[in-house]
Amino acid sequence: MFKLLARTYADAHPVMSDTLTERCGGSFAEDGGIINGAQWYSFAGGMQDFNYLHTNCFEITLELSCDKYPGDDDLQPAWQENKEALLTYMEMVHRGIKGVVLDDRGRTIKGAQIKVRGIRHDIFSVANGEYWRLLPSGTYYVSAFAHGHTRVLKKIYLPVKMEGAGRVDFILRRLQPDIETEPLDDGMDEIDLIEHHERIEGRYEDEDEYSHEEKPWWWSFFANMGQSMPDWLLRTM
């Protein structure tokens, strides 16, 4: 996504898109006028890393001139060079998906986790339940989760040409207050998590169905194993 953002600006900039091999002490022609910032030079404590890791923001660095302090006469030409590129870059906010996260009563959910399979960066819904997620074109598995609610997984497809961000809303069903979720393994992906929660909910529903019956002496053995309870054995007794 960061490459797409950077290339969008560079392609619309007459100087950055130039095929000159040497510019500002570096060679950027092979990469279309962009470069991984850490490969060029790195420093600790940058706002780009902080905002990416701790907020829903995606930031890139724009080197607009080889001169750190251009003169007054250079400002107007610099604006003309960057005007179209800046507007094109701003239009990228309409790439990806957006939507609202609600519970099964229609109430908005703040702080719901939005996860895209294969991307190790989650975002979170804001106070009114809205979220937005920049994504390039392609097929994705997107899940939403909030504490005390079920996890919902959706498969989406984003075409190359889009007039606006795709609308993907989530409705999360509230869990019963007495249902406790089990710890999850770090290696689980979103599909594993969906199946995990379904197993937990199904087990509690089955337990409720037979909770009024006295369990046999061997029932605690299966409970300690943490596996699905063999309710079918109760039906045969």
Side-chain angles (χ1 to χ4, degrees):
M1 189 66 222
F2 283 104
K3 289 183 178 180
L4 178 60
L5 293 173
R7 185 162 285 113
T8 296
Y9 196 102
D11 289 347
H13 193 286
V15 179
M16 294 181 185
S17 59
D18 200 311
T19 57
L20 293 175
T21 57
E22 294 292 334
R23 186 166 61 247
C24 300
S27 179
F28 311 99
E30 294 183 357
D31 296 320
I34 67 174
I35 192 173
N36 184 308
Q39 293 178 353
W40 192 16
Y41 66 90
S42 62
F43 62 94
M47 286 300 296
Q48 298 94 329
D49 292 338
F50 177 86
N51 286 336
Y52 179 68
L53 293 174
H54 299 287
T55 74
N56 292 351
C57 296
F58 291 65
E59 292 191 13
I60 65 173
T61 298
L62 299 173
E63 301 286 352
L64 302 182
S65 171
C66 297
D67 187 357
K68 191 173 183 64
Y69 303 102
D72 295 345
D73 295 339
D74 298 326
L75 295 181
Q76 182 61 27
W79 164 244
Q80 294 301 325
E81 290 177 352
N82 288 276
K83 179 181 179 180
E84 187 61 33
L86 180 60
L87 293 175
T88 304
Y89 176 76
M90 292 172 62
E91 292 173 354
M92 291 296 290
V93 300
H94 300 295
R95 293 295 300 266
I97 59 175
K98 64 180 181 181
V100 180
V101 183
L102 306 171
D103 65 14
D104 48 6
R105 298 182 181 179
R107 297 175 297 192
T108 59
I109 300 177
K110 176 185 177 181
Q113 179 189 49
I114 309 299
K115 178 186 291 290
V116 180
R117 187 177 190 181
I119 300 179
R120 297 179 58 185
H121 177 68
D122 304 332
I123 61 170
F124 298 88
S125 60
V126 295
N128 62 355
E130 293 183 352
Y131 78 92
W132 51 94
R133 212 320 176 170
L134 294 177
L135 287 171
S137 58
T139 301
Y140 300 94
Y141 288 93
V142 184
S143 65
F145 172 75
H147 181 70
H149 298 76
T150 57
R151 184 183 298 268
V152 175
L153 177 70
K154 294 187 177 183
K155 181 180 180 181
I156 64 170
Y157 170 71
L158 300 177
V160 176
K161 294 183 178 180
M162 296 184 63
E163 297 181 356
R167 182 68 181 264
V168 182
D169 295 333
F170 291 93
I171 299 179
L172 310 185
R173 183 167 57 85
R174 293 181 60 85
L175 295 173
Q176 297 298 326
D178 59 341
I179 294 182
E180 297 179 0
T181 57
E182 297 178 350
L184 306 177
D185 297 333
D186 293 336
M188 285 187 173
D189 62 15
E190 289 78 8
I191 295 181
D192 294 329
L193 292 173
I194 293 293
E195 296 175 348
H196 175 83
H197 284 288
E198 288 178 348
R199 287 197 302 269
I200 293 176
E201 294 169 31
R203 187 180 69 190
Y204 275 92
E205 290 175 358
D206 291 341
E207 287 183 355
D208 290 340
E209 181 180 353
Y210 297 96
S211 60
H212 64 281
E213 298 182 7
E214 183 179 355
K215 302 297 188 300
W217 62 269
W218 44 260
W219 188 257
S220 60
F221 172 77
F222 292 98
N224 293 332
M225 292 181 61
Q227 299 179 356
S228 299
M229 308 303 285
D231 297 311
W232 58 273
L233 290 176
L234 295 179
R235 298 188 182 97
T236 61
M237 295 179 61

